[in-house]
Amino acid sequence: MVQYSPTDRTFAALADPTRRGVLERLGRRSATISELAEPFGISLTGMKKHVRVLEDAELVTTEKVGRARRCSLGRRRLDEIEDWIESYRRMLDERLDRFGELLERNETREGSQG
Amino acid sequence: MVQYSPTDRTFAALADPTRRGVLERLGRRSATISELAEPFGISLTGMKKHVRVLEDAELVTTEKVGRARRCSLGRRRLDEIEDWIESYRRMLDERLDRFGELLERNETREGSQG
């Protein structure tokens, strides 16, 4: 069975515009499932599914309050995925540098041959 | 029908450790599907599927060379998702600032009451 890491779950949770919108919305204030569903024009069932994915990724926490379920931003931040993106970008930059050096070396060689 | 944006596709493509590994591997040098499959210990069919997801997200390009398919890093960078993460982080920071101000104001009030 595939085990999903926090990094996998965070990337997957963010791969949907409604879920990204929910995080932005909860960044302003906590909200019930129906308060979240309305502006997105989706069903309660649909929003429950999205919130569940965000909850599994620990990006959102929920709490039963009376008959409603109140959602807030969870404790997990985006550090893991930022770290991955940062190290990938560094690798790409180093690659560009090596490519640049290669070009320079070739130009020098061509210059000395000309 | 759901339309996936480049941001959606990039986040989804990165939500798998094998696909992130393939990007890191291709950052060093281009490789055929079988050269990619071997170190990950997965089947050619499995690797083809992963490469297809990366190709759809424009993170990887492939080219038929003889009987093999050579994969390289594509032209898309991670800018869109970095932008989203950056603006989300900014929002969280502002939120923390507001929370800090609220705490300070309460402390001042409690201080003046003490």
Side-chain angles (χ1 to χ4, degrees):
Chain A
M1 219 188 103
V2 182
Q3 291 288 324
Y4 295 105
S5 72
T7 306
D8 300 344
R9 278 196 296 259
T10 304
F11 274 127
L14 297 177
D16 182 281
T18 302
R19 289 197 294 267
R20 291 196 301 275
V22 165
L23 290 178
E24 291 162 11
R25 167 68 186 77
L26 293 178
R28 294 197 292 278
R29 200 184 315 183
S30 69
T32 62
I33 300 274
S34 38
E35 284 167 348
L36 288 177
E38 210 197 315
F40 289 102
I42 66 173
S43 68
L44 281 182
T45 314
M47 185 49 81
K48 269 180 200 161
K49 281 185 196 163
H50 283 308
V51 167
R52 182 63 181 272
V53 174
L54 290 166
E55 218 180 345
D56 287 346
E58 294 177 47
L59 292 166
V60 161
T61 57
T62 73
E63 188 193 7
K64 194 107 183 141
V65 180
R67 293 188 59 193
R69 181 164 285 279
R70 182 152 288 277
C71 311
S72 319
L73 285 190
R75 61 172 183 77
R76 181 171 299 284
R77 293 296 176 254
L78 305 178
D79 302 339
E80 291 105 343
I81 70 166
E82 286 184 294
D83 288 350
W84 186 85
I85 291 171
E86 175 55 31
S87 86
Y88 184 65
R89 173 174 283 275
R90 213 159 35 228
M91 187 269 289
L92 291 181
D93 288 346
E94 284 165 11
R95 195 168 170 248
L96 269 181
D97 288 347
R98 283 202 306 275
F99 186 64
E101 277 171 28
L102 205 71
L103 276 182
E104 249 175 53
R105 234 177 294 161
N106 273 345
E107 277 167 17
T108 316
R109 205 177 300 160
E110 277 171 22
S112 64
Q113 282 174 348
Chain B
M1 217 188 105
V2 183
Q3 290 287 326
Y4 294 105
S5 71
T7 307
D8 300 343
R9 277 196 295 259
T10 303
F11 273 127
L14 297 177
D16 182 282
T18 302
R19 290 198 293 267
R20 292 196 300 277
V22 165
L23 289 178
E24 290 162 11
R25 167 67 186 77
L26 293 179
R28 294 198 292 278
R29 199 183 316 183
S30 69
T32 62
I33 301 274
S34 39
E35 283 167 350
L36 289 175
E38 211 197 315
F40 289 101
I42 65 173
S43 68
L44 281 183
T45 314
M47 184 48 80
K48 269 180 200 162
K49 281 185 195 161
H50 283 308
V51 167
R52 182 61 179 273
V53 175
L54 291 166
E55 219 179 344
D56 287 346
E58 295 178 46
L59 292 166
V60 160
T61 56
T62 73
E63 188 194 10
K64 193 106 182 142
V65 180
R67 293 189 59 192
R69 181 164 286 278
R70 182 152 287 275
C71 311
S72 320
L73 285 189
R75 62 175 181 76
R76 182 171 299 284
R77 292 297 175 253
L78 306 178
D79 302 339
E80 290 105 344
I81 70 166
E82 285 183 294
D83 288 351
W84 187 84
I85 291 170
E86 174 56 30
S87 85
Y88 184 65
R89 172 174 283 275
R90 211 158 38 225
M91 186 270 288
L92 291 180
D93 288 347
E94 284 165 11
R95 197 168 169 249
L96 269 181
D97 287 348
R98 283 201 306 275
F99 186 65
E101 277 170 28
L102 204 73
L103 276 183
E104 249 174 54
R105 234 178 295 162
N106 272 344
E107 276 168 16
T108 315
R109 204 176 302 162
E110 277 171 20
S112 65
Q113 282 173 350

